[in-house]
Amino acid sequence: MLRVNELSHAYGGGRWRGSAGSAAANVLQDVSFELEPGCCLGVLGASGAGKSTLGKIVLGLQRPSAGQVLFDGCDLYASRRRDIAGVRRNLQAVFQDCYSAVNPLMTAEAIIGEPLRNYERLSASELKRRTGELLERVGLSAADGSKRPSEFSGGQLQRVNIARAVALGPKLIVLDEPISSLDRVHQVLILDLLAELKASLGLSYLFITHDIQAAMALCDRAAVMDSGRIVYRTDDPSSLLEAKHETVQRLASAILPEHPALRVPWEG
Amino acid sequence: MPDRNVLEVRGLHVCANINGESVALLKSVDLTIGRGRILGLVGESGSGKSLTCGAVLRLLDGRGLDVRGDVVLNGEELTRLRKEPMRKIRGREIGCIMQNPMTAFTPVHTIGSQFIETLRTHSSLSKSEARDRAQTALAEMNLSDPSKVMKSYPHQLSGGMLQRIMIAISMCLRPSLLIADEPTTALDAVNQLQVLRQLDRLRTEHATSILLVSHDLGVIARLADDVAVMREGEIVEYAEVHELFDHPQHEYTRMLLEARFRGRKEGSPCFG
């Protein structure tokens, strides 16, 4: 379904140089992977590893310096606009900052209804019924449709973002740190929702995160990135804590204790 | 004389006037932090954690909020201080680290000039002495190439680096109290651990007391000595950290402690 071939990307090397004389920095180098329907691939790494750039390129938002992104056989950066339009509805996203991902002046109903208005011809009453259903699908109530972003908590607004992402029945959702700004209680609830939607709607996820525990809870497969490269892959994310690779161990050692009695001395 | 508490907050009330109606945002908050101790303040967003910090720093003045209660720092009552002495206390006696390090620095000046300016505002150091202090403090923060960091602008550095620079400033000024409001929330796990480690250094080396606000119980479990749990403007539980994790009293605390990721269900459809 999704195939990423030898993707490389450098910022600053293009037409618009950030500052004179600055060398192009390689943020992605030779990244390749495949993603099957109904599968969740975790992309792990510390900040600056290139995870979000990869997410943007997969979404068709950032043309890579080299390499291909094939979605259902359509090359996102070498196809005609018309062909890509059909692919776009199957490709959705949920980002970390739920507040900046929505127009603060729009109601939840309008936010969730936007992709439906863009792709489907629905009557006003039909649109209202569909957005109401979507709100209930993600654990809110149809009455929340008239609220604006500022009236929701972070966790609730992330549910609105998820409802918008699933509105068109997409095949793949890129989840870029979708739970990182939430407290643990809400992180767990949102992750449960994502797992449930994936199972019932047959969704695929590209789950970008620095949280190894969250990745272990949701992903079927995982790729760990460091300095723009995939340095470790596994088909069994539950084994990540035992991985011998240095980058994975560094992420694993950053997990905080669950109880003060489990404090360990600082390393080094 | 026995060690006096560094911070004592008693009966802190904050009320907002919304459409002619008085709405209580903080309802009688009491906190005490001993010398070199770390008090964790946990609670969901909107529970009043940041408002408590703002009230201690007296940053709520002039916001149309009605603030009552006592805030005593090293025996000195802050709520009745005039503006100028209070300005001297911020930075010198109370250090501050906020959640978003990008907005804590001025984008148009280098880190070095902001670091040196801050040091010289609160001490009688000469410019070159301040520069030396700054470089040493940055090197101790595990920041490689401190002289390059000094010449950098905030946008050229990562969030984790900026938070460690903030702590480095506190290391030089040695305030008796540091208010760290969600200092690692915007950071990834690896950077988070480094920042927590440096906060611990600040408290062990300079006996700085820390008010550590976080919604992450992992951060609290790693660092705090005591914990206050807030909900809807009130402190609903207050205990020594082991006691809190072993015998949580309040239902909300128990809910926080029980929130864990469940393992993945086996046999999920992943066609290959």
Side-chain angles (χ1 to χ4, degrees), chain A residues 107-109 135 139-148 152 156 160:
Chain A
T107 60
E109 222 163 50
L135 280 164
L140 298 168
S141 74
D144 289 323
S146 57
K147 287 190 190 167
R148 285 175 213 280
F152 289 107
Q156 290 172 324
V160 172

Side-chain angles (χ1 to χ4, degrees), chain A residues 36 39 47 192 263-264 267, chain B residues 188 197 221-222 262 270-271:
Chain A
E36 303 80 26
C39 189
S47 36
D192 285 350
R263 284 179 198 180
V264 288
E267 275 174 42
Chain B
D188 70 55
R197 177 188 196 159
R222 187 70 189 85
R262 278 169 274 280
C270 182
F271 317 110

Side-chain angles (χ1 to χ4, degrees), chain A residues 257-261 263, chain B residues 216-222 224 227 237 239-248 253 257 260:
Chain A
E258 277 183 0
H259 191 285
R263 284 179 198 180
Chain B
D216 185 345
L217 278 179
V219 170
I220 301 300
R222 187 70 189 85
V227 190
E237 186 159 0
E240 192 272 331
V241 67
H242 290 85
E243 181 64 23
L244 184 102
F245 278 79
D246 287 337
H247 307 287
T253 315
L257 284 170
R260 284 207 190 114

Side-chain angles (χ1 to χ4, degrees), chain B residues 6-235:
Chain B
V6 168
L7 180 73
E8 283 182 29
V9 175
R10 288 187 293 258
L12 187 64
H13 285 81
V14 175
C15 291
N17 196 330
I18 298 170
N19 300 332
E21 230 177 285
S22 175
V23 180
L25 304 177
L26 288 187
K27 305 158 198 165
S28 195
V29 167
D30 298 297
L31 298 170
T32 22
I33 313 183
R35 192 171 141 79
R37 303 278 290 177
I38 298 182
L39 174 68
L41 189 56
V42 292
E44 58 195 354
S45 45
S47 60
K49 306 185 300 281
S50 295
L51 206 62
T52 305
C53 297
V56 171
L57 284 159
R58 276 212 15 220
L59 294 175
L60 306 181
D61 297 12
R63 285 229 209 144
L65 296 174
D66 176 23
V67 184
R68 279 174 296 130
D70 298 326
V71 178
V72 180
L73 183 79
N74 294 320
E76 188 178 18
E77 172 64 56
L78 298 186
T79 46
R80 283 185 288 276
L81 271 187
R82 295 165 68 89
K83 257 187 179 169
E84 262 319 296
M86 188 61 216
R87 261 170 63 93
K88 292 215 169 73
I89 282 180
R90 287 189 211 111
R92 181 76 196 84
E93 291 298 324
I94 309 180
C96 196
I97 296 176
M98 295 296 184
Q99 176 170 351
N100 187 347
M102 285 292 170
T103 55
F105 289 93
T106 309
V108 296
H109 293 292
T110 60
I111 293 298
S113 74
Q114 296 183 56
F115 204 130
I116 292 166
E117 183 196 11
T118 309
L119 294 196
R120 296 193 67 203
T121 306
H122 296 289
S123 68
S124 55
L125 293 173
S126 74
K127 216 171 181 172
S128 65
E129 283 169 337
R131 178 173 292 113
D132 289 346
R133 287 267 178 101
Q135 296 230 15
T136 319
L138 290 175
E140 284 171 359
M141 273 307 127
N142 262 344
L143 287 162
S144 53
D145 205 350
S147 54
K148 191 176 166 200
V149 170
M150 295 280 280
K151 288 193 199 94
S152 304
Y153 289 89
H155 74 270
Q156 295 171 307
L157 304 171
S158 73
M161 290 170 89
L162 291 173
Q163 286 304 51
R164 279 182 279 158
I165 293 164
M166 275 289 169
I167 303 174
I169 295 177
S170 284
M171 280 283 194
C172 293
L173 292 172
R174 301 176 189 181
S176 42
L177 174 69
L178 180 77
I179 294 182
D181 190 356
E182 304 273 10
T184 60
T185 305
L187 308 180
D188 70 55
V190 177
N191 272 301
Q192 161 161 289
L193 198 68
Q194 292 219 14
V195 166
L196 295 182
R197 177 188 196 159
Q198 299 305 336
L199 285 174
D200 200 30
R201 241 188 85 213
L202 179 65
R203 147 300 255 284
T204 22
E205 288 179 20
H206 302 305
T208 298
S209 310
I210 302 177
L211 178 60
L212 177 66
V213 177
S214 184
H215 63 240
D216 185 345
L217 278 179
V219 170
I220 301 300
R222 187 70 189 85
L223 219 55
D225 302 308
D226 305 289
V227 190
V229 182
M230 278 191 96
R231 194 153 204 220
E232 291 169 5
E234 274 177 288
I235 293 197

